[in-house]
Amino acid sequence: MSFRLRPSKSPHREVKRAARDEFRRVIKLLEDPAADTEESIHQLRVGMKRLRALLRLVRDALGAVPACAEQQRCKALANAFAGSRDAAVARGLLGELLAAVPDPELRARLRVGFEQSVPMTMQPPLPLPDVAQHLRLMRRDVKDWPLQSLKLRHLNDQLARQYRRGRRLYRSLGDDFAMALLHEWRKEVKRLLYQLELVRGRGRRSKLDRRIKRLGSLLGDLHDLDMLELQIESHIEDYWLDDRLALYRLLHERRAALRSRALALGSKIFVEPPASFARGRLTEWQRDR
């Protein structure tokens, strides 16, 4: 089954089914001996973010305390693997940036500086089979989620709030591209994307969905650039000053281009009143019975 609620079924049963299916998807990847470890870790983190978005969507019916507790379980598991994933992303991003550097000696020095501060391989903090077993326990607990009172109005209200959070952050940006503000916008856009996955039709993604997915990718790329710069800043002793400044120029050029594209997409996405956005989306979803 996909990460999608079927409008013809009981909402509270569908939410539990979608959560169990997502747990099953991630468990299967973690237990596949042929699966790439980095990709399995990435999908683990994606799965936990999807489940947190689902929990936010049903928070009113589930209750603030149990919803927060389950979200914290998902967040803790995803955060445990953030380091190994971030190192792999930073290495790949550095390679992309260095491809634009014509000086082979400069490229070599920057690579050496990076590898001195980041291990070539990073072992997962926990054995993946152990993580899969932990996920089984979390999946088992889904049956006890108190969702009997879940109604469509709960989905509508939370979807409107999620869209409102994304719109508010977009409007607050202006000329301020502070790392923390962009990071918050990225998280809210991703959460909106995952919630829209739950209430989408069976056909291809709508233009709006594709735009939100693209915006999430752009903001993710911006976040990766920021993390790479922070990593370099924390190990400046591994780089020559002129080399570091040359790399910063590349980072800032890429960042400016991504910011411009993200703002342009945001202007096309966050244009509706939140209540109208949520009502229209759920009406469209319910037609697809």
Side-chain angles (χ1 to χ4, degrees):
M1 300 293 291
S2 64
F3 189 66
R4 173 184 177 271
L5 306 180
R6 294 170 294 186
S8 60
K9 304 293 183 180
S10 167
H12 80 270
R13 289 193 177 93
E14 274 299 284
V15 166
K16 291 184 178 183
R17 191 269 310 157
R20 287 194 297 266
D21 285 353
E22 186 62 15
F23 276 119
R24 184 187 296 115
R25 182 187 73 84
V26 177
I27 290 168
K28 184 177 179 180
L29 274 172
L30 296 180
E31 293 185 332
D32 182 359
D36 178 73
T37 299
E38 286 185 8
E39 179 60 21
S40 295
I41 291 174
H42 173 59
Q43 290 301 323
L44 166 65
R45 287 169 52 77
V46 168
M48 295 305 98
K49 291 174 184 177
R50 278 177 155 186
L51 287 162
R52 290 176 65 196
L54 179 149
L55 287 161
R56 176 74 72 88
L57 188 63
V58 300
R59 178 187 176 96
D60 290 344
L62 184 58
V65 173
C68 183
E70 292 299 326
Q71 283 185 309
Q72 286 301 316
R73 293 173 76 184
C74 294
K75 182 178 181 180
L77 197 52
N79 286 350
F81 287 86
S84 55
R85 174 66 182 168
D86 289 347
V89 170
R91 182 172 285 106
L93 178 56
L94 180 67
E96 292 178 19
L97 292 171
L98 293 186
V101 176
D103 184 347
E105 293 185 359
L106 174 57
R107 290 200 304 268
R109 289 196 303 270
L110 287 170
R111 285 190 184 279
V112 169
F114 180 83
E115 296 302 342
Q116 285 177 339
S117 59
V118 177
M120 181 60 71
T121 59
M122 293 187 67
Q123 293 299 318
L126 298 169
L128 296 188
D130 291 356
V131 177
Q133 184 58 32
H134 183 65
L135 290 176
R136 279 198 177 84
L137 297 176
M138 293 175 68
R139 182 177 184 272
R140 183 195 63 190
D141 292 342
V142 171
K143 70 178 186 302
D144 297 323
W145 289 0
L147 286 171
Q148 289 78 3
S149 65
L150 181 65
K151 305 295 182 186
L152 288 179
R153 62 179 173 82
H154 295 128
L155 304 182
N156 182 86
D157 292 349
Q158 280 294 347
L159 190 59
R161 290 180 194 133
Q162 186 59 48
Y163 181 84
R164 184 179 295 110
R165 281 189 287 268
R167 190 180 70 160
R168 183 174 63 245
L169 282 166
Y170 164 70
R171 290 180 171 180
S172 69
L173 283 171
D175 295 327
D176 182 6
F177 284 99
M179 186 185 300
L181 194 58
L182 281 170
H183 180 54
E184 287 304 311
W185 192 32
R186 177 183 66 88
K187 290 192 294 184
E188 298 301 343
V189 167
K190 285 283 192 178
R191 193 171 291 126
L192 176 62
L193 173 65
Y194 295 141
Q195 290 182 356
L196 291 176
E197 285 184 356
L198 287 163
V199 289
R200 64 178 173 83
R202 285 174 291 188
R204 60 176 298 183
R205 293 179 185 271
S206 68
K207 180 182 288 188
L208 176 64
D209 286 8
R210 294 195 298 272
R211 283 174 172 170
I212 294 174
K213 183 177 177 63
R214 181 58 184 151
L215 177 58
S217 296
L218 289 172
L219 294 174
D221 290 345
L222 273 168
H223 178 66
D224 293 341
L225 286 171
D226 289 338
M227 293 301 99
L228 176 58
E229 184 167 354
L230 284 176
Q231 193 277 333
I232 294 167
E233 280 291 304
S234 63
H235 296 87
I236 58 174
E237 69 279 2
D238 293 326
Y239 303 87
W240 291 4
L241 175 60
D242 288 347
D243 292 355
R244 188 156 45 90
L245 293 177
L247 183 54
Y248 285 165
R249 283 193 292 272
L250 293 173
L251 283 166
H252 295 165
E253 288 172 6
R254 175 77 68 89
R255 185 181 287 114
L258 290 172
R259 285 171 174 171
S260 177
R261 292 161 64 189
L263 273 182
L265 266 179
S267 70
K268 297 175 181 177
I269 294 168
F270 296 106
V271 293
E272 290 188 65
S276 175
F277 171 85
R279 185 169 56 250
R281 182 54 181 247
L282 289 180
T283 299
E284 179 184 334
W285 168 65
Q286 287 184 287
R287 288 198 196 105
D288 194 15
R289 288 179 177 269

